[in-house]
């Protein structure tokens, strides 16, 4: 009669497994807090992007450049706000109770990827409008505005840099989630 207590060496749990899980949990929490800070900063910088310019002083013609004059920038603020809220909720969840079930970890990995897609689409939409603002488009008669509204354009650029950085943080979070899920499946 064969003993049922034999352990397959390929599937055994080593003594270092809990330490790696703890390190990954800490890294997950740190990255989620970092994602919250980056997305919040991107929102603040974008929302405060406003500049007035007196383009024709003799007639007192004042033109205002604000983020809410462009639907792409509005979409950007809404999408980054969703990512900011998501990062706050998942950071609190990660701090209170690290992911102990594979199902929770699967949904976290899924929503990390979903939020990454939302952030990437928002960055693409906002960056395309920012590019037109910086370079113009002579084929359709759009002139560049960043030579007039330099402060406004710097705010937009800063917000885009922060959100690209947030996208990279999301990639690392997806890697941690999927790696942890992979380790549990073995």
């Amino acid at each position: 009669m064969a003993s049922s207590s034999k352990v397959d060496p390929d599937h055994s749990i080593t003594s270092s497994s809990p330490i790696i899980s703890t390190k990954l949990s800490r890294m997950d929490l740190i990255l989620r807090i970092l994602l919250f800070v980056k997305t919040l900063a991107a929102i603040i910088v974008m929302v405060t992007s406003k500049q007035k310019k007196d383009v024709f002083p003799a007639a007192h013609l004042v033109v205002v450049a604000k983020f809410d004059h462009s639907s792409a920038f509005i979409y950007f603020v809404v999408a980054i706000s969703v990512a900011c809220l998501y990062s706050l909720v998942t950071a609190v969840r990660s701090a209170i109770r690290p992911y102990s079930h594979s199902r929770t970890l699967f949904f976290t990995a899924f929503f990390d990827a979903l939020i990454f897609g939302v952030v990437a689409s928002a960055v693409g939409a906002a960056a395309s409008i920012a590019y037109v603002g910086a370079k113009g488009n002579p084929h359709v008669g759009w002139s560049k505005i960043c030579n007039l509204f330099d402060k406004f354009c710097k705010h937009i650029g800063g917000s885009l840099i922060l959100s690209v950085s947030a996208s990279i943080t999301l990639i690392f979070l997806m890697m941690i989630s999927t790696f942890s899920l992979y380790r549990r499946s073995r």
Side-chain angles (χ1 to χ4, degrees), residues 31 34-47 72-73 75-84 112 115-128 130 154-173:
L31 286 174
L34 190 60
L35 178 64
F36 173 74
V37 170
K38 289 177 181 180
T39 53
L40 184 63
I43 293 165
I44 291 169
V45 171
M46 179 63 84
V47 170
F73 292 152
Y75 170 65
F76 175 84
V77 169
V78 170
I80 299 300
S81 298
V82 168
C84 186
D112 284 348
I115 293 296
F116 172 75
V118 169
V119 169
S121 70
V123 169
S128 67
K154 286 178 183 176
H155 271 253
I156 301 297
S159 184
L160 287 171
I161 289 169
L162 285 165
S163 59
V164 167
S165 176
S167 296
I168 293 168
T169 304
L170 277 163
I171 290 171
F172 286 126
L173 283 168

Side-chain angles (χ1 to χ4, degrees), residues 6-178:
K6 287 187 177 182
V7 177
D8 186 2
D10 293 332
H11 291 81
S12 65
I13 299 174
T14 63
S15 62
S16 65
S17 290
I19 295 170
I20 293 173
S21 295
T22 303
K23 286 181 181 179
L24 285 177
S25 293
R26 278 192 205 132
M27 183 61 72
D28 182 77
L29 178 60
I30 290 168
L31 286 174
R32 289 185 189 284
I33 292 170
L34 190 60
L35 178 64
F36 173 74
V37 170
K38 289 177 181 180
T39 53
L40 184 63
I43 293 165
I44 291 169
V45 171
M46 179 63 84
V47 170
T48 59
S49 62
K50 179 181 177 181
Q51 186 176 1
K52 292 181 183 180
K53 207 58 149 174
D54 195 4
V55 293
F56 194 61
H60 299 292
L61 180 62
V62 177
V63 178
V64 179
K66 290 173 53 177
F67 85 96
D68 61 354
H69 292 168
S70 168
S71 58
F73 292 152
I74 293 170
Y75 170 65
F76 175 84
V77 169
V78 170
I80 299 300
S81 298
V82 168
C84 186
L85 179 64
Y86 172 76
S87 66
L88 180 63
V89 169
T90 56
V92 169
R93 165 73 169 103
S94 183
I96 292 174
R97 188 172 181 207
Y99 306 105
S100 56
H101 301 291
S102 295
R103 186 177 188 174
T104 305
L105 195 55
F106 171 77
F107 284 117
T108 302
F110 175 78
F111 284 114
D112 284 348
L114 182 68
I115 293 296
F116 172 75
V118 169
V119 169
S121 70
V123 169
S128 67
I129 297 302
Y131 180 81
V132 170
K135 303 292 183 184
N137 188 341
H139 300 292
V140 292
W142 296 339
S143 59
K144 57 185 176 181
I145 64 161
C146 286
N147 54 348
L148 293 174
F149 299 101
D150 55 338
K151 179 184 163 196
F152 172 75
C153 289
K154 286 178 183 176
H155 271 253
I156 301 297
S159 184
L160 287 171
I161 289 169
L162 285 165
S163 59
V164 167
S165 176
S167 296
I168 293 168
T169 304
L170 277 163
I171 290 171
F172 286 126
L173 283 168
M174 287 187 297
M175 290 169 58
I176 288 173
S177 298
T178 54

